Amino acid sequence: MSVHSEIKKITTETLRKMKFDKEKITMLTAYDYTMAKMVDAGGVDAILVGDSASNVMAGFETTLPITLDHMIYHAQCVVRGVDRALVVVDLPFGSYQSNPEKALESAVRIMKESEAHAIKLEGGREVEKSIKKIVNAGIPVMGHLGLTPQSIYQFGTYRVRAKEDEEADKLLKDAKLLQDLGCFAVVLEKIPAALAKQVSESISIPTIGIGAGPDCDGQVLVYHDMVGMNKDFSPKFLRRYLDLYTEITGAVSQYVKDVKSADFPNQTESY
């Protein structure tokens, strides 16, 4: 058992020490109280209240429609269910890109209204001033490079990023910039494993990979994907640990059958 599994509360400093000790960091998403309780009880180090709630909770095609108020609501629910994990909340699209003042205002709202522990935002040099403003206010910031889903219409595809030298060089420079700006960690999404390894070895802050190979300092997956609640989503990087879609639809079908046949409730289930 790792020393960090005995820690009562995971902090940003814990994650830094884990990188230093070469202990892998575990992260999963959660969006509500019940889910957060289970994920926390399972022993993850960090929980991401991701703007992926736009997809898996609200049914939107992209992460763009979710609002700051929505994110605060989901974060409030998650924080109430967590005892140990570090809770990180995504700043949604439109809440930080326009100017540093709006970025700080958005981050402050999340921290005050949800009592989460940190925020996450996408981008490098282009959001430098916003990151600086938030960090200077004492709010922990996690960066996000590579495939940045809030920019999906600019990319036009969810394909692997930074395969070409120019984009790979920019990503490496952006990762070092995020470190220098005071970010405590950075997510690397859907980039070549060799590049993720290079980035992880080049910076002193932890890297959290998703579709970025085994050499990142930690890994993150969307909870719904990991437990198989999304039947049609099967990217190469995803490992399913359960098939809950089949389990749940099967249970619902059995419930319908039992009620229709007057088998439920039976005598022992009645007052």
Side-chain angles (χ1 to χ4, degrees):
M1 182 177 287
S2 72
V3 64
H4 297 298
S5 64
E6 297 299 309
I7 292 174
K8 291 182 179 178
K9 282 279 188 184
I10 301 291
T11 66
T12 56
E13 183 59 27
T14 312
L15 301 192
R16 289 191 192 97
K17 287 178 180 175
M18 290 174 77
K19 178 182 174 94
F20 181 79
D21 293 340
K22 293 182 168 45
E23 179 182 342
K24 295 291 188 180
I25 297 162
T26 57
M27 190 176 197
L28 282 171
T29 64
Y31 314 99
D32 62 53
Y33 171 81
T34 304
M35 191 190 306
K37 269 191 94 65
M38 291 188 289
V39 170
D40 192 51
V44 299
D45 301 306
I47 290 176
L48 175 64
V49 185
D51 58 3
S52 46
S54 181
N55 310 108
V56 299
M57 299 298 285
F60 289 113
E61 187 178 346
T62 72
T63 61
L64 273 62
I66 201 163
T67 68
L68 184 60
D69 285 338
H70 290 147
M71 291 304 303
I72 290 170
Y73 166 75
H74 287 295
Q76 288 168 336
C77 297
V78 167
V79 167
R80 286 194 287 266
V82 170
D83 291 321
R84 176 180 174 274
L86 180 81
V87 178
V88 184
V89 183
D90 267 334
L91 282 179
F93 178 74
S95 68
Y96 64 93
Q97 290 95 337
S98 58
N99 64 68
E101 285 72 26
K102 183 169 185 179
L104 177 59
E105 183 183 325
S106 301
V108 166
R109 277 200 63 199
I110 285 176
M111 299 297 285
K112 283 179 70 70
E113 296 178 38
S114 75
E115 298 184 69
H117 310 127
I119 62 96
K120 180 172 79 65
L121 50 75
E122 297 178 1
R125 176 74 62 184
E126 56 276 8
V127 289
E128 176 182 359
K129 291 180 181 177
S130 291
I131 292 172
K132 191 178 293 186
K133 193 94 171 168
I134 297 169
V135 169
N136 286 346
I139 297 172
V141 174
M142 177 179 281
H144 185 147
L145 299 172
L147 176 65
T148 46
Q150 291 178 12
S151 303
I152 186 56
Y153 289 127
Q154 183 181 26
F155 293 151
T157 174
Y158 285 104
R159 69 175 177 82
V160 175
R161 303 302 309 177
K163 292 175 80 173
E164 305 300 324
D165 289 346
E166 186 178 350
E167 190 178 351
D169 184 58
K170 181 185 185 304
L171 190 142
L172 184 57
K173 288 177 179 175
D174 278 342
K176 290 177 179 177
L177 174 65
L178 294 180
Q179 170 189 263
D180 294 343
L181 289 173
C183 291
F184 71 89
V186 57
V187 169
L188 301 177
E189 180 167 0
K190 223 168 179 184
I191 65 171
L195 176 60
K197 183 177 190 292
Q198 184 183 2
V199 172
S200 301
E201 292 173 349
S202 300
I203 60 177
S204 61
I205 60 174
T207 58
I208 311 293
I210 177 166
D215 295 306
C216 294
D217 300 304
Q219 298 292 329
V220 61
L221 284 175
V222 171
Y223 172 88
H224 290 66
D225 302 337
M226 189 271 291
V227 298
M229 292 173 81
N230 289 333
K231 188 178 73 163
D232 301 322
F233 185 64
S234 299
K236 181 180 180 180
F237 63 78
L238 173 62
R239 181 181 295 182
R240 283 199 175 92
Y241 288 81
L242 289 171
D243 182 12
L244 278 191
Y245 185 91
T246 300
E247 293 286 325
I248 292 171
T249 54
V252 171
S253 295
Q254 187 62 50
Y255 166 74
V256 170
K257 180 182 174 183
D258 290 350
V259 172
K260 297 282 189 185
S261 65
D263 178 72
F264 176 79
N266 61 29
Q267 229 176 354
T268 61
E269 292 159 339
S270 303
Y271 294 100

